[in-house]
Amino acid sequence: MASTTPTPQTTNHRPDPLTLEVVELIGEVVARFHEDYESAAADHALTGAQARLLSLLCLEPLPMRRLARQLKCEPSNVTGIVDRLEARGLAERRPDPADRRVKVAAATAEGRRVARSLRESLRFAGEPLAGLSEAERVALRDTLRRMLG
């Protein structure tokens, strides 16, 4: 006769209703953010991929392979995106100071200005978060940091 006692494997994989609701809400937040991000990028005559790459380049110059890993796409796609940003004067290629055989992509001053303007134009960042107190935003930030930890 088979045992009816649940194994740890079956009980650990069934999230409780609260966890399921939180996961659904996170999914909705992510969907709204992506929608707003794509719209803000388009307002700056950028695709979402161009805007994401430009934002990464504002943090530090990066080699194409690392950009591809971070964007989870093929290096050839990154080359095309950098080409288009370079044609607009938003990015440039330069030798990697650590290995002059390697080229890195970097945001230009204009690229950093456009990326900053794009971030500031995100309605998502202002509207839903504006209804939260500073203490609530701090608690949300801290919770998200722990989740990503």
Side-chain angles (χ1 to χ4, degrees):
M1 184 168 174
S3 171
T4 58
T5 307
T7 64
Q9 184 178 14
T10 58
T11 56
N12 287 343
H13 288 335
R14 289 200 168 149
D16 63 272
L18 176 59
T19 299
L20 289 173
E21 183 180 5
V22 169
V23 167
E24 290 292 322
L25 290 169
I26 289 171
E28 181 65 24
V29 166
V30 168
R32 286 187 188 183
F33 175 79
H34 280 293
E35 184 179 300
D36 188 33
Y37 196 85
E38 293 287 329
S39 176
D43 290 346
H44 289 80
L46 296 168
T47 66
Q50 289 170 337
R52 284 187 295 280
L53 191 143
L54 186 58
S55 292
L56 286 173
L57 295 182
C58 287
L59 299 174
E60 64 178 321
L62 293 167
M64 300 296 182
R65 287 192 190 284
R66 187 154 160 220
L67 282 167
R69 275 195 314 271
Q70 289 189 283
L71 294 173
K72 296 175 179 45
C73 67
E74 293 296 318
S76 60
N77 291 345
V78 169
T79 299
I81 295 169
V82 171
D83 287 346
R84 289 184 285 286
L85 291 174
E86 199 170 28
R88 288 188 51 194
L90 303 177
E92 63 185 5
R93 288 177 173 90
R94 53 172 91 136
D96 184 340
D99 183 350
R100 299 196 58 78
R101 296 169 297 172
V102 175
K103 293 280 188 194
V104 295
T108 62
E110 178 64 7
R112 288 188 296 278
R113 187 197 65 73
V114 167
R116 184 175 47 256
S117 175
L118 188 148
R119 277 191 313 276
E120 290 169 355
S121 71
L122 288 172
R123 291 179 302 277
F124 185 86
E127 292 171 8
L129 293 174
L132 300 177
S133 70
E134 182 176 355
E136 289 170 321
R137 289 192 313 273
V138 167
L140 178 58
R141 180 204 61 202
D142 294 347
T143 300
L144 290 170
R145 283 181 175 168
R146 279 186 52 214
M147 286 178 67
L148 297 171

